[in-house]
């Protein structure tokens, strides 16, 4: 009986041991699951892909100790730097932080804010003005495009008018009237040279000059005198009084011939020469009178107005003008004849 009781007790103890073992196994399973979940959470938070990657990143105790020392040194340096910065701030701000003028700073902020507001407003106004100017510019461009063709035509007309008037771009400063007269003058000079060559014994020849006159004066009606003795041209002002008279007489006769040719053959039968004979030497005077006598012989009436006494002997018909004590002048047909009816005042 006792043996049976011992066997039952032993069986009971084994059953209890199994129950305890099962409970311990379940506890270990729960602990393993909790540990696994915690490991997964830690891996997700750490950024490692898996446990092997985490194990590969493990460092030794010596490395951990070195890192701790570096961290401590950095903390000490950071503390020292902050202390130095605090000292510098205290030095810059003075011993008494309350010394800062808060009101002045506030006023400065308000002024800056007002300036900012004004700048924004000015910018908006400038933008509006720029847009308005852009519109005006487009209108001006359209207007210019519309009148450009007319402006080009007007410029061409102005250039033509300036050229005709003797202004730039007319480099000769010769207007249209002068140009026409210059062409006429060339014909007159050609006709005058026939007479002048005879009166000057071939020494002088007139030449038309269209050289530009000085000081902006009109050009195109100038004359030069070619002196056969020197072979050079000279200005008419360099001629003597008698030579000037002969050149003027030749031009007058040349003008008469050109006018006759242009008038369809109508002759200028009468020619008057006023003064100029007093400046002639006897030889030149004789030559001038011979030329006038040739004109008279050719059928023209030549009237000479002069005070030269030597001419009285060579003029076949004379009208003498004499003053009277009463005032009016009296015209005589000849020196020996009685006064005629006509009186001059």
């Amino acid at each position: 009986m006792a043996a049976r009781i011992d066997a039952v007790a032993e069986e009971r103890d084994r059953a209890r041991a199994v129950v305890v073992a099962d409970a311990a196994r379940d506890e270990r399973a729960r602990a393993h699951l909790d540990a696994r979940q915690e490991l997964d959470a830690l891996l997700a938070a750490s950024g490692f892909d898996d446990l092997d990657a985490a194990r590969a990143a493990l460092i030794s105790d010596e490395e951990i100790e070195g890192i701790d020392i570096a961290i401590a040194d950095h903390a000490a340096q950071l503390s020292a730097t902050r202390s130095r910065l605090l000292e510098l701030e205290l030095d810059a701000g003075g011993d008494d932080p309350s010394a800062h003028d808060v009101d002045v700073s506030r006023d400065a902020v308000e002024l800056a804010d007002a300036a900012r507001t004004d700048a924004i407003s000015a910018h908006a106004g400038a933008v509006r003005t720029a847009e308005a100017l852009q519109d005006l510019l487009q209108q001006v461009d359209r207007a210019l495009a519309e009148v450009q063709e007319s402006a080009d035509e007007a410029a061409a007309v102005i250039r033509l008018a300036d050229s005709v008037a003797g202004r730039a771009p007319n480099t000769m400063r010769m207007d249209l009237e002068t140009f026409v007269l210059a062409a006429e003058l060339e014909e007159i000079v050609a006709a005058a040279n026939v007479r002048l060559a005879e009166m000057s014994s071939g020494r002088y020849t007139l030449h038309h000059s269209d050289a530009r006159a000085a000081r902006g004066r009109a050009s195109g009606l100038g004359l030069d005198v070619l002196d056969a003795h020197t072979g050079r041209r000279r200005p008419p002002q360099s001629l003597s009084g008698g030579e000037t008279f002969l050149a003027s007489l030749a031009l007058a006769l040349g003008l008469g011939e050109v006018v006759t040719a242009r008038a369809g053959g109508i002759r200028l039968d009468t020619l008057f020469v006023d003064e100029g004979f007093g400046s002639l030497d006897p030889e030149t005077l004789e030559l001038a009178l011979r030329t006038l006598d040739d004109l008279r012989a050719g059928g023209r009436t030549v009237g000479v107005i002069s005070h030269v006494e030597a001419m009285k002997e060579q003029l076949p018909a004379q009208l003498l003008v004499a003053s009277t004590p009463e005032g009016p002048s009296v015209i005589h047909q000849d020196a020996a004849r009685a006064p005629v009816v006509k009186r001059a005042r």
Side-chain angles (χ1 to χ4, degrees):
M1 186 65 178
R4 187 175 178 80
I5 292 173
D6 292 336
V8 172
E10 184 178 356
E11 187 67 25
R12 185 194 58 192
D13 291 337
R14 285 198 298 269
R16 287 179 178 175
V18 170
V19 172
V20 171
D22 289 339
R25 185 193 62 188
D26 293 338
E27 183 66 25
R28 287 194 298 270
R30 285 193 299 272
H32 176 73
L33 180 60
D34 293 339
R36 185 64 186 179
Q37 291 176 349
E38 184 179 0
L39 177 61
D40 292 339
L42 291 174
L43 287 174
S46 65
F48 292 106
D49 295 335
D50 51 25
L51 184 59
D52 293 335
R55 287 194 182 100
L58 291 175
I59 58 177
S60 63
D61 294 338
E62 291 80 3
E63 292 174 337
I64 293 174
E65 184 178 358
I67 292 173
D68 291 338
I69 294 173
I71 292 174
D73 292 340
H74 175 73
Q77 293 177 3
L78 180 60
S79 178
T81 302
R82 287 177 176 173
S83 298
R84 180 57 181 163
L85 288 176
L86 180 59
E87 293 176 359
L88 293 175
E89 289 177 358
L90 292 176
D91 292 340
D95 296 335
D96 186 6
S98 62
H100 293 287
D101 193 345
V102 178
D103 293 335
V104 173
S105 300
R106 184 182 298 108
D107 293 341
V109 171
E110 292 177 355
L111 290 175
D113 186 64
R116 174 179 173 274
T117 302
D118 293 340
I120 293 174
S121 177
H123 177 266
V127 170
R128 290 192 297 270
T129 302
E131 293 175 351
L133 290 176
Q134 185 65 30
D135 293 339
L136 290 176
L137 182 60
Q138 293 176 357
Q139 295 177 15
V140 170
D141 290 340
R142 288 193 296 269
L144 286 176
E146 293 174 357
V147 303
Q148 186 61 46
E149 183 176 355
S150 298
D152 294 340
E153 295 177 356
V157 173
I158 291 173
R159 286 194 300 270
L160 178 60
D162 288 340
S163 298
V164 170
R167 297 186 293 269
N170 187 341
T171 58
M172 297 302 299
R173 294 188 179 277
M174 185 187 304
D175 57 25
L176 182 60
E177 180 181 359
T178 304
F179 177 78
V180 175
L181 292 177
E184 299 290 338
L185 180 59
E186 289 181 352
E187 295 187 23
I188 294 172
V189 168
N193 280 331
V194 177
R195 299 287 184 179
L196 183 59
E198 180 181 353
M199 289 187 290
S200 65
S201 300
R203 179 177 179 180
Y204 295 120
T205 304
L206 298 176
H207 289 271
H208 168 242
S209 173
D210 57 1
R212 183 173 175 178
R215 299 179 181 178
R217 292 179 297 179
S219 307
L221 298 179
L223 288 176
D224 289 332
V225 180
L226 177 61
D227 190 342
H229 288 185
T230 62
R232 296 180 179 178
R233 292 190 181 188
R234 48 194 282 197
Q237 294 83 353
S238 65
L239 297 176
S240 65
E243 293 169 340
T244 301
F245 175 79
L246 294 180
S248 300
L249 180 59
L251 284 172
L253 297 176
L255 175 61
E257 293 179 3
V258 171
V259 171
T260 298
R262 291 294 179 86
I266 299 176
R267 289 175 53 84
L268 297 179
D269 292 330
T270 303
L271 175 67
F272 286 94
V273 181
D274 186 6
E275 294 296 349
F277 296 95
S279 60
L280 303 181
D281 57 72
E283 182 180 354
T284 305
L285 177 61
E286 177 65 26
L287 180 60
L289 290 176
R290 187 167 62 248
T291 300
L292 296 177
D293 191 57
D294 291 341
L295 292 175
R296 184 185 62 81
R300 292 185 178 181
T301 300
V302 180
V304 176
I305 303 172
S306 177
H307 294 85
V308 179
E309 291 293 333
M311 296 188 65
K312 294 181 180 180
E313 302 175 358
Q314 303 188 41
L315 296 179
Q318 301 178 14
L319 292 177
L320 303 180
V321 181
S323 60
T324 63
E326 293 80 7
S329 299
V330 179
I331 300 176
H332 298 271
Q333 183 176 0
D334 287 313
R337 294 185 179 183
V340 296
V341 178
K342 185 176 181 180
R343 292 177 178 269
R345 293 183 179 272

